[in-house]
């Protein structure tokens, strides 16, 4: 959960356990990889930092059940004074803390080995227990909301730890349903999130990819093989044939995938209507504490203003690689694919420590602790989630998942996830657990900030023009492309889907394919060939099952870019302001958080400046290419 009242938005709890996500993807099934049991322990994270044993975890699970039972007896029907309200919320903070630890311990164990049936069964058990507890405690928000505002405000004045939680209750009052309905929705939370689970099962369990031919050779194919390897393949025939074969397979599942996604958006629309929101947009943005204006601006300005720069970048790739035409399958190839520095895990420590040292001695100590204390799971093994993410259970250290393949890009990914770790280390130590729900609008800012700091550091370490071009092109092809293009296209497409749903319509495979094709064509124009295969990109992303999340990547990176440029120009005072943002957690809305870092996101200026900066980077890449 990010920025939402915990009981009012109960439905998000089970769906987003690792709520400070970087770039989480789902497990790969590659039989060439080692089993988890054969991985050296030093390459794995240490979940005993949460609980020394499963028995300890189960003791806390039982403890939270007992607290829940007592709370129902002591508080249900009795939350009519400021004192009792705070006593109840004090207990609920402990429930929240314990559930956070128990759920993370179980979920993280599954994420590194989906083949372990014991961990799978345990995770399901804890998920069911969590849904039951939150269902039984769903009376809290409703009973508090039934009190006069004066009573709630008195309770706020008596407790700094509960103040913002109570502010959110005042804010959500108009949208709370009857207590019995709230309890039913909480109990049904796992069912309501079923579309996401069905999508993953179809995508990762049912899809069986055949091999494909290129240059007279046979190549194996799979979801991870395509998205982690072939999408970046230098050989044009291999890359394009892989894309064609991959697209042909996922198209076989387009109708069931469309039906699942339509179920997701129709459910969101129904819940929005039940809660009295004028539109599904208002409902989904409510939890982010973001206006429709900020949301629309992010999509509209990037689509209009960034497109010319990225079309120029596409033309540059076409020129460098001497392509006959520029297709959607060619957009992720590197400017200089032969120049990819190899980095060991130990070498990465020095890069990350020095690259992020500008954030201060305490930040460097956290990085050192992360390596020394086994916060990071570097391993590549069967049944492990791919990509990267960071989970930071309250009161504990962070846990970072990635798969190390000795590329410099891994250093950027690790810096990204350490950005989440540093963010939540700061806000978790500074705020009540109720105040660590950071709006998803801002949550990617600390992580992308670290990517930028790493790039700026690398640019200072080596004057070689080829190295400089590689760093700059990495910023475009990874940091900015990922956040300002890939996810922005998702967001633009997603907005059109929700418009249809808001108007009472529904989405089928034909409609979704058409919308995605129109979205991509509007951005890339005549410079990139958008085929029907490209139009089926809507089938590949899990973000559509997370509400209006896709656009927040570019929003967070906009804040990060402006804050990073301030640090480059102003030094320590800008660093100090950035640290204020990190420590504030969810005590402010995104506008207020950005203001702490000296950035005014109520205007177009930060976004326009960021787009112009991207254009300047592409200018320099072009100049270095022509040298």
């Amino acid at each position: 959960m990010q920025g939402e009242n915990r009981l009012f938005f109960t439905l998000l709890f089970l769906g987003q356990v690792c709520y400070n996500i970087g770039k989480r993807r789902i497990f790969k099934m590659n039989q060439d990889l080692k089993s988890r049991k054969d991985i050296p322990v030093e390459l794995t994270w240490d979940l005993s930092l949460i609980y020394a044993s499963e028995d300890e975890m189960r003791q806390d699970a039982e403890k939270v059940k007992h607290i829940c039972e007592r709370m129902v007896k002591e508080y249900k029907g009795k939350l009519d004074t400021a004192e009792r309200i705070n006593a109840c919320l004090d207990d609920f903070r402990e429930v929240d803390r314990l559930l956070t630890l128990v759920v993370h311990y179980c979920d993280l164990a599954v994420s590194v080995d989906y083949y372990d049936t014991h961990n799978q069964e345990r995770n399901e058990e804890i998920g069911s227990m969590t849904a039951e507890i939150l269902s039984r405690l769903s009376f809290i928000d409703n009973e508090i909301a039934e009190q006069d505002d004066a009573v709630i405000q008195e309770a706020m004045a008596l407790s700094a730890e509960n103040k913002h939680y109570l502010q959110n209750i005042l804010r959500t009052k108009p949208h709370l349903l009857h207590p019995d309905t709230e309890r039913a929705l909480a109990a049904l939370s796992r069912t309501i999130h079923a579309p996401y689970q069905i999508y993953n099962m179809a995508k990762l369990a049912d899809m069986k990819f055949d091999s494909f031919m290129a240059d007279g050779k046979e190549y194996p194919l799979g979801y991870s093989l395509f998205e982690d390897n072939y999408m970046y393949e230098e050989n044009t025939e291999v890359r394009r044939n892989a894309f064609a074969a991959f697209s042909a397979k996922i198209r076989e599942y387009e109708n069931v995938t469309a039906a699942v996604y339509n179920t997701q958006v129709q459910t969101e629309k129904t819940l929005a209507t039940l809660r009295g929101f004028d539109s599904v947009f208002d409902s989904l943005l409510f939890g982010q504490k973001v206006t429709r204006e900020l949301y629309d601006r992010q999509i509209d300005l990037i689509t209009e203003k960034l497109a010319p720069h990225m079309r120029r970048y596409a033309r540059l790739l076409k020129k460098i690689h001497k392509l006959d035409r520029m297709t959607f399958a060619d957009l992720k190839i590197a400017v200089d694919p032969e120049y990819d520095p190899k980095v060991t895990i130990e070498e990465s420590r020095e890069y990350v420590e020095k690259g992020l040292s500008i954030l201060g001695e305490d930040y460097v100590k956290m990085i050192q602790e992360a390596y020394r204390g086994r916060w990071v799971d570097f391993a590549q093994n069967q049944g492990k989630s791919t990509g990267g993410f960071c989970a930071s259970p309250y009161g504990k250290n962070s846990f970072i998942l990635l798969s190390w393949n000795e590329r410099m890009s891994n250093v950027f990914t690790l810096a990204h996830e350490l950005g989440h770790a540093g963010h939540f280390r700061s806000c978790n130590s500074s705020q009540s657990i109720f105040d660590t729900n950071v709006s998803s609008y801002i949550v990617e800012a600390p992580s992308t900030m670290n990517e930028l700091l790493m790039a700026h550091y690398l640019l200072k370490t080596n004057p070689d023009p080829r190295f400089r071009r590689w760093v700059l092109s990495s910023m475009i092809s990874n940091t900015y492309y990922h956040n300002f293009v890939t996810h922005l296209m998702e967001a633009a497409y997603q907005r059109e889907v929700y418009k249809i749903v808001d108007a009472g319509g529904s989405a089928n495979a034909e409609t979704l394919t058409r919308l995605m094709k129109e979205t991509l064509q509007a951005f890339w124009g005549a410079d990139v060939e958008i085929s029907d295969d490209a139009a089926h990109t809507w089938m590949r992303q899990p973000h559509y099952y997370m509400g209006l999340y896709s656009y927040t990547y570019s929003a967070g990176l906009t804040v990060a870019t402006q804050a990073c440029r301030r640090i480059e120009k102003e030094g320590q005072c800008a660093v100090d302001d950035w640290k204020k943002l990190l420590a504030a957690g969810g005590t402010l809305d995104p506008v207020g958080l950005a203001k702490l870092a000296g950035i005014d996101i109520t205007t177009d200026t930060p976004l326009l400046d960021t787009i112009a900066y991207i254009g300047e980077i592409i200018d320099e890449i072009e100049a270095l290419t022509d040298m």
Side-chain angles (χ1 to χ4, degrees):
M1 291 183 304
Q2 298 158 6
E4 296 97 359
N5 182 303
R6 275 174 161 76
L7 290 180
F8 178 67
F9 287 93
T10 294
L11 301 181
L12 294 180
F13 186 88
L14 296 175
Q16 296 181 12
V17 171
C18 298
Y19 50 88
N20 47 322
I21 294 173
K23 290 172 277 189
R24 182 174 186 171
R25 287 176 251 159
I26 309 302
F27 66 97
K28 65 172 84 174
M29 293 186 180
N30 187 334
Q31 299 303 325
D32 294 332
L33 297 176
K34 292 182 179 180
S35 297
R36 182 69 179 182
K37 63 181 176 58
D38 296 325
I39 297 296
V41 69
E42 62 268 19
L43 296 180
T44 67
W45 57 27
D46 182 9
L47 294 185
S48 71
L49 294 170
I50 305 178
Y51 290 112
S53 67
E54 180 174 329
D55 287 343
E56 283 193 12
M57 180 276 293
R58 291 194 176 279
Q59 288 173 19
D60 269 1
E62 289 302 313
K63 183 178 179 181
V64 80
K65 290 179 186 177
H66 292 310
I67 296 174
C68 174
E69 189 72 29
R70 176 175 58 78
M71 289 178 69
V72 172
K73 292 178 180 177
E74 290 185 8
Y75 301 121
K76 191 170 185 179
K78 303 171 186 175
L79 295 179
D80 54 0
T81 69
E83 291 75 16
R84 275 198 286 271
I85 287 172
N86 276 316
C88 178
L89 291 181
D90 290 344
D91 281 340
F92 185 56
R93 287 206 315 277
E94 179 64 3
V95 168
D96 200 354
R97 185 185 73 83
L98 292 174
L99 281 180
T100 296
L101 298 180
V102 168
V103 169
H104 275 86
Y105 181 80
C106 296
D107 183 73
L108 292 174
V110 169
S111 70
V112 293
D113 190 0
Y114 275 81
Y115 292 158
D116 190 315
T117 56
H118 171 74
N119 287 345
Q120 288 274 19
E121 291 169 358
R122 184 180 65 185
N123 203 37
E124 287 294 315
E125 175 193 347
I126 293 301
S128 296
M129 181 202 77
T130 301
E132 170 62 18
I133 287 171
L134 293 179
S135 175
R136 296 196 67 197
L137 296 180
S138 63
F139 70 89
I140 295 174
D141 285 10
N142 285 80
E143 287 197 21
I144 295 175
E146 288 171 358
Q147 307 309 312
D148 291 339
D149 287 2
V151 174
I152 299 175
Q153 289 164 354
E154 180 186 353
M156 289 166 55
L158 293 174
S159 174
E161 291 84 358
N162 300 330
K163 176 182 176 181
H164 293 102
Y165 189 97
L166 291 165
Q167 279 182 339
N168 274 336
I169 288 182
L170 286 174
R171 184 169 173 261
T172 58
K173 254 190 175 189
H175 305 292
L176 287 169
L177 304 175
H178 187 278
D180 290 343
T181 305
E182 293 290 353
R183 178 168 183 174
L185 288 175
L188 288 169
S189 60
R190 291 164 68 79
T191 302
I192 291 171
H193 280 289
Y196 182 49
Q197 302 302 323
I198 296 169
Y199 165 76
N200 281 329
M201 290 298 289
K203 172 180 175 180
L204 297 163
D206 289 346
M207 288 188 193
K208 306 297 181 186
F209 290 85
D210 297 324
S211 57
F212 67 95
M213 298 297 295
D215 290 335
K217 296 181 181 179
E218 186 175 2
Y219 292 84
L221 184 62
Y223 231 104
S224 294
L225 275 174
F226 174 73
E227 295 202 332
D228 294 341
N229 295 286
Y230 294 129
M231 200 158 61
Y232 308 95
E233 169 63 43
E234 181 183 3
N235 184 301
T236 298
E237 184 172 349
V238 173
R239 183 179 64 253
R240 289 179 179 174
N241 288 7
F243 183 56
F246 175 83
S247 300
K249 173 55 65 174
I250 67 173
R251 261 202 314 275
E252 293 176 10
Y253 295 80
E254 64 178 354
N255 291 310
V256 67
T257 305
V260 169
Y261 181 46
N262 187 58
T263 300
Q264 171 75 24
V265 295
Q266 296 296 342
T267 299
E268 289 169 336
K269 174 59 177 175
T270 298
L271 290 172
T273 302
L274 285 173
R275 294 194 180 281
F277 288 100
D278 292 334
S279 76
V280 68
F281 292 102
D282 294 335
S283 172
L284 295 173
L285 291 172
F286 185 87
Q288 296 178 7
K289 298 182 180 177
V290 170
T291 65
R292 180 72 182 272
E293 179 185 3
L294 263 66
Y295 165 74
D296 283 331
R297 181 178 67 201
Q298 203 70 25
I299 297 173
D300 293 337
L301 276 184
I302 294 175
T303 300
E304 177 188 357
K305 303 293 185 181
L306 181 63
H309 296 303
M310 294 310 301
R311 292 174 188 177
R312 188 156 48 91
Y313 181 71
R315 292 195 295 270
L316 178 62
L317 289 177
K318 181 182 178 183
K319 171 185 172 182
I320 290 171
H321 292 275
K322 299 179 174 59
L323 300 176
D324 58 335
R325 65 194 195 284
M326 192 67 188
T327 75
F328 185 79
D330 303 321
L331 286 169
K332 297 294 287 182
I333 52 178
V335 166
D336 192 350
E338 295 179 0
Y339 193 84
D340 191 3
K342 295 292 185 181
V343 183
T344 66
I345 292 173
E346 188 55 38
E347 288 170 341
S348 75
R349 183 199 302 244
E350 182 177 359
Y351 276 116
V352 174
E353 285 182 15
K354 290 182 178 179
L356 302 181
S357 62
I358 195 169
L359 295 177
E361 184 179 346
D362 287 345
Y363 208 94
V364 172
K365 286 181 179 178
M366 180 201 73
I367 294 168
Q368 293 169 341
E369 185 182 351
Y371 279 90
R372 184 174 58 247
R374 288 174 50 209
W375 294 13
V376 185
D377 202 276
F378 293 101
Q380 295 190 48
N381 61 262
Q382 293 180 29
K384 181 181 177 179
S385 298
T386 63
F389 69 79
C390 175
S392 302
Y394 191 80
K396 299 291 182 179
N397 56 278
S398 292
F399 295 88
I400 294 170
L401 180 143
L402 48 81
S403 295
W404 195 263
N405 60 16
E406 297 195 335
R407 292 181 179 176
M408 184 63 81
S409 58
N410 292 150
V411 178
F412 282 94
T413 300
L414 183 54
H416 177 108
E417 303 308 339
L418 284 167
H420 288 301
H423 183 192
F424 283 91
R425 184 182 182 90
S426 182
C427 76
N428 286 358
S429 62
S430 303
Q431 307 296 341
S432 155
I433 192 170
F434 285 164
D435 295 334
T436 59
N437 297 326
V438 182
S439 169
S440 57
Y441 186 94
I442 212 82
V443 79
E444 292 296 337
S447 54
T448 50
M449 162 68 94
N450 280 12
E451 291 188 54
L452 297 177
L453 291 176
M454 282 300 308
H456 290 183
Y457 164 74
L458 289 172
L459 288 172
K460 297 174 184 175
T461 64
N462 190 336
D464 178 56
R466 188 178 186 187
F467 180 80
R468 183 174 182 85
R469 187 179 74 152
W470 177 83
V471 174
L472 293 172
S473 63
S474 293
M475 291 175 69
I476 295 299
S477 64
N478 294 323
T479 301
Y480 284 108
Y481 193 105
H482 181 77
N483 297 284
F484 263 73
V485 181
T486 299
H487 291 319
L488 196 281
M489 292 297 94
E490 293 174 13
Y493 150 82
Q494 188 182 34
R495 184 171 62 174
E496 297 308 307
V497 175
Y498 281 123
K499 285 179 181 178
I500 291 173
V501 172
D502 248 351
S506 61
N508 56 35
E510 182 180 351
T511 299
L512 297 176
T513 302
R514 173 180 59 79
L515 290 176
M516 178 56 78
K517 191 168 191 176
E518 291 172 354
T519 299
L520 293 172
Q521 287 174 331
F523 187 83
W524 291 108
D527 289 293
V528 179
E529 198 176 281
I530 304 300
S531 64
D532 288 341
D533 286 346
H536 279 82
T537 301
W538 66 266
M539 297 183 63
R540 291 167 51 187
Q541 295 295 348
H543 298 102
Y544 310 132
Y545 299 85
M546 301 174 185
L548 298 178
Y549 192 76
S550 295
Y551 89 99
T552 66
Y553 282 90
S554 64
L557 183 52
T558 299
V559 173
T561 300
Q562 297 306 304
C564 185
R565 300 190 80 182
R566 270 201 70 205
I567 289 173
E568 291 285 313
K569 294 175 183 177
E570 302 173 31
Q572 191 59 46
C573 67
V575 172
D576 292 342
D577 287 344
W578 183 247
K579 288 184 175 180
K580 293 174 186 175
L581 180 152
L582 299 182
T587 59
L588 296 169
D589 63 14
V591 171
L593 288 170
K595 189 175 181 180
L596 288 178
I599 302 158
D600 182 6
I601 60 172
T602 64
T603 74
D604 294 353
T605 301
L607 182 53
L608 291 174
D609 284 351
T610 299
I611 293 171
Y613 176 62
I614 295 171
E616 292 168 9
I617 296 174
I618 295 173
D619 287 341
E620 186 170 356
I621 295 171
E622 286 183 317
L624 290 168
T625 299
D626 293 335
M627 286 179 61

